[in-house]
Amino acid sequence: EAQVTQNPRYLITVTGKKLTVTCSQNMNHEYMSWYRQDPGLGLRQIYYSMNVEVTDKGDVPEGYKVSRKEKRNFPLILESPSPNQTSLYFCASGPYRGYTEAFFGQGTRLTVV
Amino acid sequence: DQQVKQNSPSLSVQEGRISILNCDYTNSMFDYFLWYKKYPAEGPTFLISISSIKDKNEDGRFTVFLNKSAKHLSLHIVPSQPGDSAVYFCAASGTDSWGKLQFGAGTQVVVTP
Protein backbone atom coordinates (compact mmCIF):
# COMPACT_ATOMS: atom_id res chain seq x y z
CA GLU A 1 0.00 0.00 0.00
CA ALA A 2 1.32 3.42 -1.00
CA GLN A 3 1.73 5.52 2.07
CA VAL A 4 3.57 8.18 3.99
CA THR A 5 4.28 7.10 7.56
CA GLN A 6 5.02 9.49 10.38
CA ASN A 7 6.14 8.62 13.88
CA PRO A 8 5.20 9.28 16.54
CA ARG A 9 1.53 10.20 16.10
CA TYR A 10 1.42 12.00 19.44
CA LEU A 11 4.23 13.51 21.47
CA ILE A 12 4.38 15.62 24.60
CA THR A 13 7.78 16.99 25.44
CA VAL A 14 9.43 19.67 27.53
CA THR A 15 11.02 22.88 26.35
CA GLY A 16 14.56 22.40 25.14
CA LYS A 17 14.58 18.63 24.83
CA LYS A 18 15.69 17.66 21.33
CA LEU A 19 13.28 15.53 19.35
CA THR A 20 12.94 13.97 15.93
CA VAL A 21 9.77 13.20 14.03
CA THR A 22 10.35 10.56 11.39
CA CYS A 23 8.75 10.42 7.96
CA SER A 24 9.04 7.60 5.48
CA GLN A 25 7.41 7.03 2.09
CA ASN A 26 7.27 3.88 -0.02
CA MET A 27 6.37 5.42 -3.37
CA ASN A 28 9.90 6.25 -4.54
CA HIS A 29 8.95 9.92 -4.59
CA GLU A 30 11.71 12.45 -5.06
CA TYR A 31 9.85 15.31 -3.41
CA MET A 32 9.15 15.42 0.32
CA SER A 33 7.98 18.22 2.57
CA TRP A 34 7.02 19.13 6.11
CA TYR A 35 4.07 21.29 7.12
CA ARG A 36 2.58 22.52 10.34
CA GLN A 37 -1.11 23.15 10.78
CA ASP A 38 -2.34 25.79 13.19
CA PRO A 39 -5.90 27.07 13.71
CA GLY A 40 -6.80 29.85 11.32
CA LEU A 41 -3.52 29.55 9.44
CA GLY A 42 -3.99 26.40 7.42
CA LEU A 43 -0.88 24.43 6.51
CA ARG A 44 2.43 26.24 6.39
CA GLN A 45 5.45 24.70 4.78
CA ILE A 46 8.49 24.25 7.01
CA TYR A 47 11.08 22.61 4.74
CA TYR A 48 11.01 20.67 1.53
CA SER A 49 13.37 18.42 -0.38
CA MET A 50 13.52 17.91 -4.13
CA ASN A 51 15.84 14.93 -3.87
CA VAL A 52 18.47 13.24 -1.73
CA GLU A 53 20.79 15.81 -0.14
CA VAL A 54 18.71 18.66 -1.61
CA THR A 55 16.64 20.60 0.92
CA ASP A 56 15.26 24.13 1.06
CA LYS A 57 13.36 26.35 3.44
CA GLY A 58 9.63 26.78 3.31
CA ASP A 59 7.75 29.64 4.91
CA VAL A 60 8.37 28.84 8.58
CA PRO A 61 11.76 27.10 8.92
CA GLU A 62 12.93 28.77 12.15
CA GLY A 63 13.58 26.29 14.93
CA TYR A 64 13.55 23.26 12.65
CA LYS A 65 16.13 21.16 10.84
CA VAL A 66 15.76 18.45 8.23
CA SER A 67 17.96 15.98 6.43
CA ARG A 68 17.50 13.85 3.35
CA LYS A 69 20.13 11.14 3.33
CA GLU A 70 17.89 8.54 1.74
CA LYS A 71 15.12 8.96 -0.77
CA ARG A 72 12.46 7.39 1.40
CA ASN A 73 13.15 9.23 4.67
CA PHE A 74 12.82 12.87 5.61
CA PRO A 75 13.07 13.41 9.40
CA LEU A 76 12.11 16.68 11.06
CA ILE A 77 14.40 17.71 13.91
CA LEU A 78 13.59 20.18 16.67
CA GLU A 79 16.92 20.87 18.38
CA SER A 80 15.44 22.95 21.20
CA PRO A 81 11.66 22.84 21.09
CA SER A 82 9.67 25.77 22.42
CA PRO A 83 5.96 26.06 23.28
CA ASN A 84 5.27 27.99 20.07
CA GLN A 85 6.16 24.82 18.17
CA THR A 86 3.15 23.09 19.64
CA SER A 87 1.26 22.16 16.51
CA LEU A 88 0.01 19.42 14.21
CA TYR A 89 2.74 18.37 11.79
CA PHE A 90 2.33 16.69 8.45
CA CYS A 91 4.87 15.11 6.18
CA ALA A 92 4.11 14.83 2.47
CA SER A 93 5.72 13.32 -0.61
CA GLY A 94 5.15 13.64 -4.33
CA PRO A 95 6.66 12.90 -7.71
CA TYR A 96 9.19 15.47 -8.86
CA ARG A 97 8.48 15.70 -12.53
CA GLY A 98 5.02 16.91 -13.30
CA TYR A 99 4.46 17.57 -9.67
CA THR A 100 0.75 17.29 -9.22
CA GLU A 101 -0.28 16.41 -5.77
CA ALA A 102 1.32 15.52 -2.50
CA PHE A 103 0.51 12.45 -0.44
CA PHE A 104 0.28 13.26 3.23
CA GLY A 105 1.03 11.29 6.34
CA GLN A 106 -1.50 11.04 9.15
CA GLY A 107 0.07 13.77 11.20
CA THR A 108 2.01 14.17 14.43
CA ARG A 109 0.41 16.08 17.26
CA LEU A 110 3.25 17.75 19.18
CA THR A 111 2.83 19.51 22.50
CA VAL A 112 5.78 21.38 24.02
CA VAL A 113 5.33 22.32 27.68
CA ASP B 1 1.48 37.36 4.51
CA GLN B 2 -0.81 34.66 3.23
CA GLN B 3 -0.76 34.43 -0.54
CA VAL B 4 -3.69 32.03 -0.66
CA LYS B 5 -6.86 33.01 1.12
CA GLN B 6 -10.03 31.16 1.90
CA ASN B 7 -12.25 33.79 3.41
CA SER B 8 -15.08 31.51 4.46
CA PRO B 9 -14.06 29.45 7.48
CA SER B 10 -17.23 27.39 7.30
CA LEU B 11 -20.01 26.37 4.97
CA SER B 12 -23.22 24.49 5.73
CA VAL B 13 -25.14 22.90 2.88
CA GLN B 14 -28.03 20.51 2.54
CA GLU B 15 -27.48 17.06 1.16
CA GLY B 16 -28.08 17.01 -2.59
CA ARG B 17 -27.39 20.72 -3.03
CA ILE B 18 -24.32 22.37 -4.48
CA SER B 19 -21.36 23.34 -2.30
CA ILE B 20 -19.25 26.21 -3.59
CA LEU B 21 -15.91 26.87 -1.95
CA ASN B 22 -13.90 29.93 -2.85
CA CYS B 23 -10.22 30.70 -2.86
CA ASP B 24 -8.29 33.85 -3.76
CA TYR B 25 -4.58 34.25 -4.37
CA THR B 26 -2.24 37.19 -4.68
CA ASN B 27 0.86 35.79 -6.38
CA SER B 28 0.59 36.12 -10.15
CA MET B 29 3.37 33.53 -10.53
CA PHE B 30 1.15 30.74 -9.25
CA ASP B 31 0.38 28.39 -12.10
CA TYR B 32 -0.91 25.25 -10.45
CA PHE B 33 -3.77 25.00 -8.02
CA LEU B 34 -4.96 22.11 -5.92
CA TRP B 35 -7.77 21.26 -3.55
CA TYR B 36 -7.30 18.94 -0.61
CA LYS B 37 -9.86 17.41 1.68
CA LYS B 38 -9.14 16.67 5.32
CA TYR B 39 -11.04 14.59 7.82
CA PRO B 40 -10.29 14.87 11.56
CA ALA B 41 -7.29 12.83 12.72
CA GLU B 42 -6.17 12.21 9.14
CA GLY B 43 -3.77 13.85 6.75
CA PRO B 44 -5.08 15.91 3.83
CA THR B 45 -5.92 13.95 0.71
CA PHE B 46 -5.68 15.30 -2.80
CA LEU B 47 -9.02 16.03 -4.41
CA ILE B 48 -8.60 17.86 -7.70
CA SER B 49 -6.20 20.24 -9.41
CA ILE B 50 -6.06 22.73 -12.24
CA SER B 51 -3.26 24.19 -14.29
CA SER B 52 -3.26 27.86 -15.21
CA ILE B 53 -3.63 26.97 -18.89
CA LYS B 54 -7.16 25.77 -18.16
CA ASP B 55 -10.17 27.47 -16.65
CA LYS B 56 -12.10 24.38 -15.64
CA ASN B 57 -11.39 20.85 -14.56
CA GLU B 58 -13.95 18.19 -13.68
CA ASP B 59 -13.70 14.95 -11.80
CA GLY B 60 -16.99 13.30 -11.02
CA ARG B 61 -18.94 15.44 -8.60
CA PHE B 62 -16.05 17.89 -8.22
CA THR B 63 -15.33 20.79 -10.55
CA VAL B 64 -12.70 23.45 -10.11
CA PHE B 65 -12.96 26.77 -11.90
CA LEU B 66 -10.06 29.16 -12.34
CA ASN B 67 -10.36 32.87 -13.12
CA LYS B 68 -6.81 34.07 -13.63
CA SER B 69 -7.67 37.70 -14.18
CA ALA B 70 -9.46 37.81 -10.84
CA LYS B 71 -6.91 35.52 -9.17
CA HIS B 72 -9.79 33.43 -7.95
CA LEU B 73 -10.68 29.77 -8.01
CA SER B 74 -13.66 27.86 -6.76
CA LEU B 75 -14.54 24.27 -6.06
CA HIS B 76 -18.05 23.04 -6.81
CA ILE B 77 -19.37 19.85 -5.31
CA VAL B 78 -22.56 18.59 -6.91
CA PRO B 79 -24.49 16.96 -5.38
CA SER B 80 -23.18 17.32 -1.85
CA GLN B 81 -23.17 14.18 0.25
CA PRO B 82 -22.78 13.66 4.02
CA GLY B 83 -19.35 12.10 3.40
CA ASP B 84 -18.22 15.43 1.96
CA SER B 85 -18.27 16.94 5.44
CA ALA B 86 -14.62 17.83 5.97
CA VAL B 87 -12.16 20.71 5.87
CA TYR B 88 -11.18 21.75 2.36
CA PHE B 89 -7.87 23.42 1.66
CA CYS B 90 -6.96 25.36 -1.42
CA ALA B 91 -3.26 25.28 -2.36
CA ALA B 92 -1.09 26.83 -5.03
CA SER B 93 2.40 26.53 -6.45
CA GLY B 94 4.31 28.54 -9.01
CA THR B 95 7.21 28.47 -11.41
CA ASP B 96 9.08 30.95 -9.23
CA SER B 97 8.81 28.66 -6.20
CA TRP B 98 8.99 25.13 -7.47
CA GLY B 99 8.47 22.75 -4.56
CA LYS B 100 6.83 25.35 -2.35
CA LEU B 101 3.15 24.80 -1.83
CA GLN B 102 1.07 27.59 -0.30
CA PHE B 103 -2.13 26.65 1.49
CA GLY B 104 -5.20 28.61 2.46
CA ALA B 105 -6.60 28.46 5.98
CA GLY B 106 -9.30 25.98 5.01
CA THR B 107 -13.09 25.88 4.87
CA GLN B 108 -15.07 23.54 7.10
CA VAL B 109 -17.94 22.05 5.12
CA VAL B 110 -20.88 20.49 6.90
CA VAL B 111 -23.44 18.63 4.79
CA THR B 112 -26.74 18.22 6.59
CA PRO B 113 -29.40 15.61 5.78
Side-chain angles (χ1 to χ4, degrees):
Chain A
E1 181 190 354
Q3 58 185 0
V4 178
T5 303
Q6 293 178 230
N7 280 298
R9 291 289 311 278
Y10 302 91
L11 179 60
I12 301 175
T13 190
V14 295
T15 299
K17 185 177 180 182
K18 181 179 178 181
L19 67 92
T20 299
V21 183
T22 64
C23 175
S24 181
Q25 51 97 1
N26 62 1
M27 295 168 278
N28 202 36
H29 285 160
E30 294 182 343
Y31 172 88
M32 296 186 76
S33 184
W34 276 102
Y35 298 85
R36 60 179 287 174
Q37 183 187 0
D38 301 290
L41 296 176
L43 283 85
R44 293 180 293 167
Q45 194 169 38
I46 303 171
Y47 270 95
Y48 63 97
S49 169
M50 302 302 280
N51 212 327
V52 175
E53 303 292 1
V54 180
T55 63
D56 208 347
K57 295 177 181 179
D59 292 318
V60 288
E62 297 78 20
Y64 304 95
K65 282 177 58 176
V66 293
S67 69
R68 187 92 182 272
K69 293 182 169 44
E70 305 167 281
K71 199 170 187 178
R72 62 183 291 124
N73 296 322
F74 190 44
L76 179 70
I77 303 157
L78 285 73
E79 295 264 355
S80 183
S82 62
N84 65 12
Q85 292 178 298
T86 293
S87 187
L88 180 58
Y89 291 86
F90 290 101
C91 178
S93 75
Y96 172 63
R97 290 207 173 271
Y99 171 74
T100 53
E101 72 272 10
F103 295 82
F104 282 81
Q106 290 195 293
T108 295
R109 171 74 67 183
L110 173 66
T111 301
V112 183
V113 298
Chain B
D1 183 35
Q2 276 201 297
Q3 299 183 53
V4 177
K5 296 179 183 179
Q6 294 177 256
N7 292 318
S8 299
S10 64
L11 173 69
S12 183
V13 64
Q14 263 190 321
E15 183 177 0
R17 299 288 187 104
I18 183 172
S19 295
I20 300 177
L21 290 78
N22 294 304
C23 178
D24 297 293
Y25 62 96
T26 57
N27 189 339
S28 57
M29 298 300 289
F30 286 153
D31 63 354
Y32 200 82
F33 304 89
L34 310 92
W35 285 93
Y36 286 87
K37 177 179 181 178
K38 185 182 179 306
Y39 293 118
E42 294 184 13
T45 54
F46 170 74
L47 194 56
I48 192 170
S49 62
I50 188 166
S51 163
S52 60
I53 61 172
K54 293 185 174 182
D55 55 17
K56 178 182 174 181
N57 189 27
E58 259 182 287
D59 184 1
R61 297 185 296 113
F62 303 92
T63 303
V64 57
F65 295 92
L66 175 62
N67 182 334
K68 287 191 293 292
S69 60
K71 295 192 178 68
H72 176 84
L73 62 155
S74 62
L75 174 69
H76 292 208
I77 307 173
V78 185
S80 299
Q81 299 174 354
D84 296 331
S85 296
V87 177
Y88 291 78
F89 291 101
C90 171
S93 67
T95 52
D96 66 332
S97 56
W98 183 257
K100 294 186 74 171
L101 203 56
Q102 300 276 351
F103 280 81
T107 297
Q108 172 76 61
V109 172
V110 176
V111 180
T112 57

